[in-house]
Amino acid sequence: NNRVNLQMADPEFSAEELARYNELIEKGEETIDSSWEKFYEGVGFKVWRAPKEGSAGLYKYRSIGTIHCPAEQYFAFYRDLDYWKKWDENCEILEILERPNENTQVIYWSVSWPFPLTNRDYVYQRFSKYYPEAGLYMVRGNTVTHDKRPPGSRVRVVEYDCVCACKQSEDGKTCTLFLDTWDDPQASLPSWLLSWVTSKAIPAFLTKLDTNAQKYKM
């Protein structure tokens, strides 16, 4: 029996959530309150962070930026795990364990960490759907457990949440990306060192997202 232990509440986005994400995309930095600090600003993207409640030394991250391709292309790119394995050199294993329905996948993801740190892995459920009434491509993900991939030699990340919202620009050539992420990598590193690693990893990842989404052929 390889059934997944579903720990995600109803993954559908409510009308209220869609309205909120539309506002976050349209108003951008205006929606960032004093609880967030700017963490990175570069070409096309800005990233903020805020302390994660109940998790000393850990942060949640909010990114807003531009992807230089149409929203439909970015959404197809983001969902294509076979293509993802080709461009993300930190991706060691990426496989679908189960498809509960057409919008939902249970995914196993193993990530290479730099020596001497142990590689991390995740089992998470990803819900992705286009909401035409809101003009939003939405993705929601969080960790679950699954019999096919019990914890092994890698460090299992058991706390991970992600929401991604994508909206087409008026000219149809680019799209705005809004990304909220949080995970506990369970790394026994000093907080300053973890912050330094994250400050390098997030901008590099966002740049790779944009570059490879542009190359993607639907």
Side-chain angles (χ1 to χ4, degrees):
N1 182 356
N2 289 321
R3 295 303 301 167
V4 63
N5 175 15
L6 296 179
Q7 297 157 348
M8 183 190 285
D10 181 6
E12 283 280 0
F13 289 87
S14 66
E16 292 77 13
E17 285 181 298
L18 294 172
R20 181 163 64 89
Y21 285 112
N22 253 325
E23 181 182 28
L24 288 167
I25 285 176
E26 289 168 8
K27 294 186 177 179
E29 194 164 357
E30 295 175 36
T31 66
I32 305 295
D33 62 31
S34 59
S35 66
W36 297 86
E37 62 171 317
K38 187 170 285 184
F39 185 65
Y40 168 80
E41 183 170 359
V43 178
F45 270 96
K46 295 179 182 179
V47 183
W48 294 263
R49 70 176 187 178
K52 176 67 175 176
E53 302 83 356
S55 301
L58 295 175
Y59 293 87
K60 54 187 178 181
Y61 294 88
R62 173 164 290 180
S63 309
I64 303 174
T66 300
I67 298 290
H68 294 87
C69 71
E72 184 180 9
Q73 180 176 326
Y74 175 77
F75 190 60
F77 153 79
Y78 194 84
R79 296 174 66 178
D80 190 334
L81 299 187
D82 288 332
Y83 185 67
W84 193 290
K85 287 184 281 190
K86 295 176 182 176
W87 66 262
D88 185 357
E89 66 271 14
N90 295 319
C91 178
E92 184 186 28
I93 303 171
L94 191 60
E95 64 181 6
I96 297 172
L97 302 178
E98 191 171 336
R99 301 176 190 265
N101 57 58
E102 64 175 341
N103 295 316
T104 308
Q105 299 168 326
V106 180
I107 296 167
Y108 175 76
W109 180 31
S110 176
V111 183
S112 298
W113 274 46
F115 179 83
L117 300 172
T118 305
N119 292 350
R120 266 59 182 167
D121 66 0
Y122 303 70
V123 175
Y124 69 101
Q125 179 172 286
R126 185 178 71 177
F127 173 84
S128 52
K129 186 176 178 179
Y130 174 53
Y131 291 85
E133 70 279 8
L136 289 173
Y137 294 85
M138 301 295 302
V139 180
R140 191 196 315 266
N142 81 308
T143 46
V144 294
T145 59
H146 199 286
D147 293 344
K148 282 185 180 178
R149 282 288 186 176
S153 60
R154 301 166 183 86
V155 175
R156 175 61 51 91
V157 176
V158 295
E159 292 187 73
Y160 164 76
D161 289 291
C162 171
V163 172
C164 172
C166 183
K167 185 160 191 171
Q168 182 88 327
S169 63
E170 290 186 6
D171 65 11
K173 297 178 181 178
T174 64
C175 55
T176 300
L177 181 67
F178 174 92
L179 188 63
D180 265 352
T181 57
W182 140 256
D183 73 355
D184 179 358
Q186 301 186 76
S188 54
L189 300 174
S191 58
W192 66 267
L193 181 55
L194 193 57
S195 290
W196 181 83
V197 170
T198 307
S199 71
K200 302 296 182 185
I202 288 181
F205 176 71
L206 293 172
T207 299
K208 286 194 295 184
L209 272 184
D210 187 23
T211 301
N212 289 282
Q214 292 177 57
K215 297 177 183 176
Y216 185 71
K217 305 298 183 191
M218 293 176 59

